[in-house]
Amino acid sequence: MYKLTPTDREILHAMETMVDAIATMFGEHTEVLLHALDEDDPCVTKIANGHITGREVGAPITNIALLKLEEGYDVSSPYITKSSDGKTLRSYTTIIRNSSQQAIGLICVNSNLDAPFQSVMQALLPGIPHYHEGNITPEVFAKSNSDAMLDTIHTVRDNVLANTNIAPSKKNREIVTELFDLGVFDIKDSAQIAATELDTSVHTIYRYLRQLRDEEVVV
């Protein structure tokens, strides 16, 4: 460790949002910490879900974190640790480096393996008290822009076709509207592809798009 520079501290400050992001992703049973590796005061500078180990900002760096730092791997393999009150934790450590490749901080993640399974699943599905397939919003993990566009068209089309509140004669217009709002028609050849997938003419797609763009101008 060495004395951190103002630039080093700016880098660590920028990483604080990552602490919140990881904790939000994994829920209340996963503790996430940011350690500053300053030679004068190596300590926790940001923590989420500190109730798992009882630590707060200012807590000293642990012996295990120092060992992981010495191992030199920027991302450690997962390892098992125990909290002071006996919780079994699955942990990993990531080293943060500056532009000179000097280690300036650590992000440590500790997941409580003793937490009740149902509670863990509830934390992973926030706001969904009764999980079922209908709650899922499909995310497209496409390998190309054309695949992503097709998957998006199919998702919107299927949702609109299943919506009984939309009259059959207005479904294609609604599909085009939703695709327009998603920016699909900014992609090359999207109108032709949409026409094929919706079994309509490209002239109809262009007519809907002109109407939507005219509405934008009026607004």
Side-chain angles (χ1 to χ4, degrees), residues 172-182 185 208 212:
N172 273 359
R173 174 63 153 78
E174 177 62 25
I175 293 169
V176 172
T177 299
E178 293 189 20
L179 293 174
F180 178 79
D181 290 340
L182 290 171
F185 293 108
Y208 289 152
L212 289 167

Side-chain angles (χ1 to χ4, degrees), residues 62-103:
T62 65
N63 58 327
I64 297 295
L66 288 173
L67 287 172
K68 294 301 173 183
L69 178 62
E70 289 300 315
E71 288 177 1
Y73 297 109
D74 281 0
V75 180
S76 76
S77 298
Y79 52 95
I80 302 297
T81 56
K82 283 278 189 182
S83 67
S84 58
D85 60 355
K87 295 186 187 78
T88 302
L89 309 175
R90 182 178 187 270
S91 307
Y92 74 86
T93 299
T94 299
I95 297 175
I96 302 167
R97 300 183 184 276
N98 61 17
S99 59
S100 300
Q101 296 304 301
Q102 175 73 40

Side-chain angles (χ1 to χ4, degrees), residues 1-215:
M1 285 185 282
Y2 79 121
K3 188 167 182 61
L4 297 183
T5 67
T7 300
D8 294 334
R9 294 194 178 278
E10 288 178 4
I11 295 171
L12 293 177
H13 180 69
M15 295 300 297
E16 290 183 3
T17 55
M18 289 302 300
V19 172
D20 292 328
I22 296 169
T24 299
M25 177 68 183
F26 291 103
E28 63 181 313
H29 300 296
T30 294
E31 177 188 68
V32 188
L33 309 97
L34 176 64
H35 291 281
L37 297 177
D38 186 88
E39 64 179 6
D40 293 334
D41 185 23
C43 66
V44 174
T45 57
K46 174 75 174 181
I47 186 168
N49 296 328
H51 61 273
I52 292 176
T53 62
R55 286 179 291 178
E56 299 177 346
V57 169
I61 192 169
T62 65
N63 58 327
I64 297 295
L66 288 173
L67 287 172
K68 294 301 173 183
L69 178 62
E70 289 300 315
E71 288 177 1
Y73 297 109
D74 281 0
V75 180
S76 76
S77 298
Y79 52 95
I80 302 297
T81 56
K82 283 278 189 182
S83 67
S84 58
D85 60 355
K87 295 186 187 78
T88 302
L89 309 175
R90 182 178 187 270
S91 307
Y92 74 86
T93 299
T94 299
I95 297 175
I96 302 167
R97 300 183 184 276
N98 61 17
S99 59
S100 300
Q101 296 304 301
Q102 175 73 40
I104 61 172
L106 302 172
I107 286 183
C108 299
V109 180
N110 304 305
S111 294
N112 180 11
L113 298 183
D114 294 333
F117 179 75
Q118 185 175 3
S119 180
V120 172
M121 292 307 298
Q122 186 62 49
L124 292 174
L125 300 168
I128 307 177
H130 301 292
Y131 166 76
H132 56 81
E133 289 295 320
N135 293 126
I136 298 175
T137 301
E139 182 171 4
V140 175
F141 299 99
K143 295 181 179 179
S144 68
N145 284 337
S146 60
D147 285 346
M149 179 167 57
L150 279 171
D151 285 337
T152 302
I153 291 171
H154 293 163
T155 298
V156 171
R157 180 194 64 192
D158 293 346
N159 287 342
V160 171
L161 291 179
N163 189 339
T164 58
N165 294 321
I166 302 173
S169 61
K170 296 183 178 180
K171 287 188 183 290
N172 273 359
R173 174 63 153 78
E174 177 62 25
I175 293 169
V176 172
T177 299
E178 293 189 20
L179 293 174
F180 178 79
D181 290 340
L182 290 171
V184 167
F185 293 108
D186 295 333
I187 302 172
K188 183 180 179 182
D189 298 328
S190 54
Q192 291 84 349
I193 293 171
T196 300
E197 297 303 316
L198 300 182
D199 194 24
T200 190
S201 70
V202 70
H203 300 292
T204 298
I205 299 295
Y206 283 132
R207 175 163 56 84
Y208 289 152
L209 292 176
R210 282 195 300 271
Q211 291 170 356
L212 289 167
R213 287 168 181 145
D214 287 345
E215 290 172 8

